[in-house]
Amino acid sequence: MNAQRKANGFGNRFLMGLVFFFLYAPIFILIIFSFNAGTSSSVWRGFSLNWYHALLNNRLILTSVYTTLMVSLLATVIATVAGTFAAIGFYSMRRRSRDALMAVNNIPMMNADIVTGVSLCLLFVVFFNGWESFATWLNGVQSAVTLPTRLSLGFGTMLIAHVCFNIPYVILAVGPKLRQMDRNLIDAAQDLGCTWMQAFWKVVIPEIKPGIVSGALTAFTMSVDDFIISYFTAGSSTSTLAMTIYGMTKKRVSPQINAVSTLLFVTVLLLLVIINVRESQQQKRVVRGAVKVTAPKKPGRTVVLLRRVAAGALACVLAVVLIVTGQAAAARPVVNVCSWGEYIDEDLIAEFEETTGIAVNYQTVESNEALYSLIEMGGADFDVIVPSDYMIARLISEGMLAELDFDNIPNYVLIDDNYKGLNYDPQNKYTVPYAWGTLGIIYNTTMVDEEITSWDAMFDPKYAGQVLMINNSRDALAAALLDLGYSINTTDESELQEAFRRLRQAKDQGVYQAFVMDQVFQKMEGGNAAIAMYYAGDYLTMLENNEDLAFVIPDEGSNWFVDAMCVLKSAQHKAEAEAWINFIASTSSSLANMDYIWYASPNTEALAEYPDYYLELYEEELDPELYEIMAAPSEVLERCEIYEDLPKATLALYNDLWNQLGI
Amino acid sequence: MKNKLSRFAVPYVVWMAIFVVAPIVIMVLYAFASRDGGFTLENFAKLGSFAGVFARSFELALIATAVCLLIGYPVSYYMSREGASFQRMAMVLIMLPMWMNFLLRTYSWITILDNNGLLNQLFAKIGLIALYNRLTGSDLTYFPMMNTQGAVVLGMVYNYLPFMILPIYSVIVKLDGSLLEAARDLGANTATVFRKVILPLSLPGVLSGITMVFVPSVSTFAISQMLGGGTELLLGDLIERQFLGGSYNPQLGAAISLVMMVIVVVCMLVMNRFGEGEEQAVML
């Protein structure tokens, strides 16, 4: 048939070539930069394989890959089987019922991922609450069977969610094949003596096999790539690769991710090439007629039996391995921590796990508001969280934090008094400070003519297209409020509206290149923007990669903040949580952390000893100016305000203004 | 036997009731609830102020779909005219990017398009920017490609192009060659054969492709977050803000999601009117 069609001219081939180049250019860049010696994704610093080495030691990424494969394979298998049977069921129904059910079936595909994810999360939460009441009642009424009262999101709920959005794809792939199938085949088979079951297995299934295979492949692809539905249904202890990458794209994608993606890409490429080579070889043999096409030899009875026994044994082994590893994981003590991105020296996690034997599930979240919404929705089962001052105040007022047992946290005495008894936790019942710092303006001295000294720079049309505004409502409105001379904790609606108008006007004038949180790292380091506002410790990290950057706390003043560790009231692992907090508060951990994240610790000894620690470690003196940025002296702090939690009406106004700003 | 077979669907119907219908019901309940739990219509009232966001999202999604169709249809058609081994290899090459993480591929575009990214560095080195400045009298040091609506459309086209190519290709390739022969025998030249035989018959594939590109484009937020800069929100961004912080308001988020779902369903229904018949194109 193809022989009848005109062959393609050069122009057509060129177009196809261009499209393929377009599809692959970003992938090649990803692969190339996996061999980059530096940390950046856009600045080439030489060839190196160290990211591949680091990848093999990176437990988080390897666990993510394992989880991804597990959930995707299981979901694909379940969805393919269930979807095939469902498609067959639909095929046999009356037209009207089939259309109605197919419409419902298509809903997960039509719905936005985020809507599916959130609605499933809400469904699970509602179910868990109901289960808790039911189990408590049942346990109280009889003692023969004790049900666990608290269920939480985890691998199981994520698997259900994946199956849920995979099945429609399978049905959509198998359905057409069923319709194309000649119904007379089944009748013919039965006429020839097959039972109904035999006709099903020997006639129907082989006919629709291409549809089943294509459905399974589609389901697997969708499952592997999904991040948002997994994010909402996986809970705090499970993470797929896509979820890990999603967290990273919000700040800085470690080249280790490039490395793992390159490896996956090469693996899939090899698999597909092998499959295709085999297929083409088989076709070539048939075409050449060198091999007579005979019916494949039927394997003997024993062989068939052996194959089935082997398949069954393999399935059993797989099941046992899953159950055992699941149990092992459950038996080991564990603590679920949620903090910010690039906010801990990961060696500390390993050290803690080794010395105490408690496994750490470390997750990050983008902002205080995102953390709050996770906790509010009920989908988070974190033990330790590290919110900022004003969010802690809100959580305490809503009764969501547990009081700490300071007998389990002896290192608390090492915390400097300056960071105790602050407005968010005046009686020090709920928190242990983790780090503190200041908010300021970061700018590239080679891209800006003058020294920046005022918040005006964040609103000045002179810098149009070069300014990065921060992407959370509190800090953004604070910049405007400070520029206008108001308090960052004002509840006066007219002042807030004025601040909003300042932001809105600047945005309409094209001052802002983008609203960013941790994306600011890559943008400022790469010289893609001139001015940004962000936190002192992060500036010092950026400085490591771009020496042209400067930091300033403007004349009008700024915000200083404390991030503190606290334990959720609903935490399941309180003792382990307090052990973690105690470990972090120790001087040695504080020093290591300070060195890695460039944020000042509240630990008195660590603050005093850090310059010497730095000298010993790097054999050069710590620049006192840098140290001042890291641990701002009291004169600077006096110009700064700490955030307070705002009343509900003001918060509602903040939300509204923030929505309006983006329109 | 038909009745027996239809019983196979029962477990799935039960599943759908729990995991597809129930979450939607919960969404509806949330959409009509106020922060304190009572019944209210204020969430839908607020939607009026977001009309611009709706319009922008649908506009960009339509542009992305149109671009995908303009590029994807010719590519599918030319692919179907090549030899069998080329077609096999081409299928592999088109499917392969879908296996690389979608976020990562979009993230790569930031590296390429950024103000000081690879493309701009290349343009500066070969003097393209200087040439442009001389021709138009402007004073650029780079071409602003990132954080624009164009970049968002580019991201959408890049990610969803395979979803347009594959369904169209799978339909065109299965076209009965004898139909084409018959058309030629009746005197049609290549263009007429294309217009009157291939184009109408490939419509199921086109519709399938449009669906698979339009729906995710309307609701994406990762692409617009990474490439769009967040200065002009799309629907997905807006919904994400309501659920994941920034402006935590799940009731409003549910209302927006519901309206978006209804609009998309209506669009799909309208489109299916154009493609009668049960022939749905499969993706692979």
Side-chain angles (χ1 to χ4, degrees):
Chain A
M1 176 186 83
N2 277 334
Q4 293 294 329
R5 297 184 173 173
K6 233 174 53 175
N8 281 322
F10 173 71
N12 302 342
R13 293 227 167 113
F14 183 66
L15 172 68
M16 281 197 282
L18 238 93
V19 169
F20 283 118
F21 176 70
F22 171 66
L23 283 177
Y24 277 88
I27 298 183
F28 287 148
I29 294 186
L30 266 179
I31 297 182
I32 293 176
F33 275 90
S34 71
F35 296 108
N36 184 18
T39 50
S40 166
S41 313
S42 57
V43 179
W44 178 259
R45 285 198 203 284
F47 184 90
S48 143
L49 282 176
N50 59 8
W51 299 117
Y52 287 87
H53 289 162
L55 175 65
L56 291 174
N57 292 328
N58 188 329
R59 216 196 50 161
L60 172 64
I61 295 185
L62 292 177
T63 327
S64 308
V65 174
Y66 173 74
T67 313
T68 307
L69 288 175
M70 272 288 104
V71 82
S72 298
L73 282 171
L74 276 175
T76 305
V77 166
I78 298 176
T80 309
V81 171
T84 308
F85 281 114
I88 294 175
F90 283 165
Y91 155 81
S92 320
M93 282 183 164
R94 276 195 318 266
R95 171 89 189 254
R96 259 204 300 209
S97 7
R98 177 172 9 144
D99 280 352
L101 287 172
M102 280 300 282
V104 176
N105 172 59
N106 285 341
I107 288 179
M109 289 199 320
M110 295 279 161
N111 242 344
D113 279 359
I114 187 168
V115 174
T116 316
V118 170
S119 55
L120 280 174
C121 176
L122 293 173
L123 178 74
F124 289 132
V125 166
V126 164
F127 174 72
F128 291 157
N129 288 337
W131 173 270
E132 198 172 336
S133 333
F134 170 72
T136 343
W137 168 80
L138 194 65
N139 288 344
V141 163
Q142 50 82 49
S143 51
V145 170
T146 337
L147 293 175
T149 48
R150 257 195 77 87
L151 299 174
S152 55
L153 294 177
F155 189 83
T157 50
M158 185 167 64
L159 184 61
I160 293 178
H162 276 239
V163 170
C164 195
F165 70 76
N166 276 342
I167 294 187
Y169 289 107
V170 174
I171 295 183
L172 232 64
V174 172
K177 284 280 181 243
L178 275 171
R179 280 193 290 274
Q180 284 172 0
M181 186 179 74
D182 189 345
R183 298 188 189 184
N184 296 325
L185 285 173
I186 309 177
D187 290 337
Q190 288 186 306
D191 286 344
L192 288 168
C194 279
T195 63
W196 176 81
M197 271 312 288
Q198 283 177 320
F200 178 74
W201 283 108
K202 286 186 188 286
V203 176
V204 177
I205 297 287
E207 273 293 304
I208 59 177
K209 205 163 79 150
I212 299 181
V213 168
S214 113
L217 268 182
T218 315
F220 187 71
T221 315
M222 293 292 149
S223 204
V224 164
D225 229 10
D226 168 76
F227 64 95
I228 200 64
I229 298 184
S230 310
Y231 185 78
F232 279 104
T233 51
S236 58
S237 48
T238 333
S239 183
T240 62
L241 184 62
M243 282 164 67
T244 311
I245 295 180
Y246 179 53
M248 285 194 180
T249 53
K250 299 209 160 211
K251 39 188 187 289
R252 187 209 302 275
V253 175
S254 158
Q256 291 176 30
I257 290 288
N258 291 37
V260 81
S261 299
T262 308
L263 289 174
L264 286 173
F265 178 81
V266 168
T267 314
V268 173
L269 178 65
L270 282 175
L271 271 175
L272 286 175
V273 163
I274 291 177
I275 295 178
N276 272 282
V277 162
R278 275 189 56 192
E279 260 187 44
S280 80
Q281 276 183 347
Q282 279 188 344
Q283 279 208 4
K284 279 206 189 119
R285 271 196 249 133
V286 170
V287 164
R288 270 195 248 127
V291 175
K292 264 203 312 201
V293 180
T294 54
K297 258 189 5 203
K298 274 195 66 164
R301 272 255 174 96
T302 14
V303 179
V304 170
L305 190 62
L306 277 177
R307 274 199 209 154
R308 294 210 174 137
V309 165
L314 199 61
C316 288
V317 165
L318 188 66
V320 164
V321 163
L322 277 178
I323 295 176
V324 165
T325 46
Q327 289 292 48
R332 195 179 169 192
V334 78
V335 68
N336 297 323
V337 180
C338 184
S339 182
W340 309 120
E342 303 221 13
Y343 215 38
I344 194 168
D345 182 357
E346 309 210 331
D347 294 337
L348 287 177
I349 302 181
E351 194 184 320
F352 178 76
E353 288 182 334
E354 271 174 38
T355 44
T356 62
I358 305 175
V360 178
N361 288 321
Y362 191 85
Q363 265 202 352
T364 63
V365 81
E366 200 190 28
S367 68
N368 283 302
E369 286 75 15
L371 176 65
Y372 179 77
S373 58
L374 269 180
I375 300 176
E376 259 294 288
M377 259 199 311
D381 54 337
F382 302 122
D383 301 311
V384 180
I385 52 174
V386 191
S388 307
D389 31 55
Y390 69 96
M391 188 48 72
I392 298 179
R394 194 190 311 180
L395 290 171
I396 295 178
S397 73
E398 296 189 4
M400 306 187 86
L401 295 183
E403 292 190 19
L404 296 175
D405 183 355
F406 285 95
D407 291 337
N408 291 336
I409 312 179
N411 284 330
Y412 187 63
V413 300
L414 298 172
I415 305 286
D416 196 304
D417 287 334
N418 278 335
Y419 312 106
K420 294 184 188 173
L422 293 172
N423 63 352
Y424 58 87
D425 185 14
Q427 287 157 358
N428 299 317
K429 285 202 279 192
Y430 300 95
T431 62
V432 173
Y434 177 79
W436 61 275
T438 49
L439 175 71
I441 298 185
I442 305 171
Y443 63 99
N444 191 321
T445 48
T446 61
M447 292 169 77
V448 162
D449 297 326
E450 56 199 5
E451 223 182 297
I452 306 272
T453 55
S454 155
W455 284 109
D456 286 341
M458 296 298 296
F459 306 97
D460 198 336
K462 186 166 61 173
Y463 302 116
Q466 291 290 339
V467 178
L468 298 172
M469 174 49 77
I470 203 166
N471 195 22
N472 79 65
S473 51
R474 214 61 217 263
D475 289 325
L477 281 166
L481 287 167
L482 286 163
D483 191 49
L484 293 166
Y486 302 133
S487 155
I488 59 179
N489 292 313
T490 180
T491 54
D492 185 326
E493 186 171 331
S494 62
E495 289 177 4
L496 286 170
Q497 292 283 6
E498 204 185 323
F500 168 73
R501 277 194 298 276
R502 193 104 172 79
L503 276 168
R504 182 81 212 196
Q505 192 186 38
K507 183 194 131 171
D508 290 336
Q509 288 173 324
V511 173
Y512 303 128
Q513 190 186 106
F515 284 69
V516 292
M517 288 297 281
D518 288 330
Q519 300 95 331
V520 72
F521 284 102
Q522 209 204 18
K523 292 214 181 272
M524 291 306 282
E525 286 171 12
N528 293 302
I531 302 176
M533 60 184 275
Y534 220 56
Y535 312 106
D538 298 316
Y539 159 70
L540 292 169
T541 309
M542 290 182 229
L543 190 63
E544 280 177 13
N545 288 322
N546 185 336
E547 294 171 347
D548 298 325
L549 300 174
F551 180 80
V552 65
I553 299 193
D555 299 329
E556 297 95 343
S558 182
N559 158 257
W560 79 280
F561 60 88
V562 177
D563 291 335
M565 300 179 276
C566 33
V567 176
L568 283 177
K569 208 177 236 175
S570 56
Q572 296 284 295
H573 312 105
K574 282 214 177 58
E576 291 85 350
E578 286 166 354
W580 168 261
I581 295 178
N582 191 44
F583 170 74
I584 293 289
S586 70
T587 307
S588 62
S589 310
S590 297
L591 280 170
N593 226 8
M594 271 179 88
D595 187 58
Y596 188 81
I597 68 178
W598 284 109
Y599 274 91
S601 157
N603 180 312
T604 328
E605 289 175 8
L607 273 176
E609 290 173 19
Y610 185 67
D612 295 327
Y613 177 85
Y614 185 90
L615 181 62
E616 240 187 81
L617 201 53
Y618 299 106
E619 288 169 14
E620 59 174 28
E621 269 218 36
L622 174 62
D623 186 345
E625 262 184 42
L626 291 186
Y627 190 55
E628 258 195 35
I629 294 180
M630 184 174 173
S634 46
E635 315 90 68
V636 174
L637 288 180
E638 260 154 39
R639 292 196 289 130
C640 300
E641 266 184 282
I642 199 171
Y643 282 131
E644 288 167 10
D645 189 25
L646 300 169
K648 269 201 165 46
T650 317
L651 286 176
L653 180 60
Y654 262 82
N655 280 351
D656 262 337
L657 292 176
W658 192 239
N659 274 340
Q660 295 293 324
L661 188 61
I663 296 178
Chain B
M1 184 192 71
K2 247 193 152 185
N3 282 336
K4 249 192 180 174
L5 276 187
S6 68
R7 266 192 252 146
F8 276 166
V10 169
Y12 184 57
V13 174
V14 172
W15 171 278
M16 280 203 295
I18 303 177
F19 291 109
V20 176
V21 178
I24 306 261
V25 169
I26 296 183
M27 281 263 116
V28 172
L29 287 175
Y30 261 81
F32 284 104
S34 71
R35 295 310 293 267
D36 320 306
F39 177 86
T40 174
L41 286 175
E42 69 179 10
N43 296 321
F44 289 98
K46 278 200 197 147
L47 286 183
S49 56
F50 298 127
V53 179
F54 275 87
R56 196 184 299 140
S57 303
F58 278 92
E59 180 195 329
L60 287 185
L62 279 172
I63 296 178
T65 312
V67 172
C68 275
L69 193 54
L70 278 171
I71 301 180
Y73 197 101
V75 171
S76 318
Y77 182 60
Y78 297 145
M79 259 172 65
S80 69
R81 302 209 300 192
E82 291 285 344
S85 57
F86 178 90
Q87 283 187 25
R88 247 198 308 275
M89 191 187 69
M91 278 282 284
V92 167
L93 285 183
I94 293 202
M95 286 201 303
L96 203 47
M98 299 199 293
W99 291 69
M100 282 281 265
N101 187 282
F102 142 88
L103 289 168
L104 219 47
R105 288 179 286 139
T106 314
Y107 189 78
S108 250
W109 277 105
I110 301 181
T111 321
I112 301 178
L113 296 177
D114 222 339
N115 294 342
N116 204 18
L118 295 172
L119 267 187
N120 269 318
Q121 286 180 19
L122 177 69
F123 290 155
K125 280 219 176 80
I126 63 176
L128 196 63
I129 299 184
L131 180 65
Y132 179 79
N133 282 339
R134 249 183 311 154
L135 284 178
T136 58
S138 52
D139 190 25
L140 298 175
T141 42
Y142 58 84
F143 291 128
M145 293 182 283
M146 264 299 287
N147 302 316
T148 58
Q149 309 278 46
V152 177
V153 172
L154 176 71
M156 290 181 190
V157 168
Y158 176 74
N159 278 307
Y160 302 128
L161 189 59
F163 291 102
M164 178 65 83
I165 293 181
L166 287 176
I168 300 181
Y169 168 75
S170 74
V171 167
I172 292 185
V173 107
K174 291 194 200 96
L175 282 184
D176 195 346
S178 44
L179 285 173
L180 306 178
E181 282 180 45
R184 276 187 216 277
D185 287 343
L186 288 168
N189 59 13
T190 322
T192 319
V193 166
F194 177 78
R195 203 161 42 93
K196 291 208 180 266
V197 179
I198 298 183
L199 194 54
L201 285 178
S202 62
L203 221 44
V206 170
L207 288 176
S208 181
I210 291 182
T211 310
M212 299 203 69
V213 172
F214 183 72
V215 173
S217 297
V218 149
S219 55
T220 181
F221 69 94
I223 299 180
S224 54
Q225 262 181 5
M226 283 195 267
L227 299 176
T231 45
E232 295 191 340
L233 294 182
L234 294 184
L235 268 185
D237 297 315
L238 196 57
I239 297 178
E240 195 247 355
R241 268 196 188 176
Q242 312 309 317
F243 287 117
L244 275 181
S247 344
Y248 180 66
N249 189 345
Q251 288 81 6
L252 183 59
I256 302 175
S257 314
L258 239 104
V259 173
M260 183 177 73
M261 200 173 87
V262 165
I263 298 182
V264 167
V265 165
V266 166
C267 285
M268 292 300 115
L269 283 178
V270 165
M271 219 183 49
N272 279 332
R273 286 267 167 265
F274 287 109
E276 300 292 16
E278 294 194 24
E279 270 318 304
Q280 273 185 354
V282 294
M283 237 189 40
L284 297 172

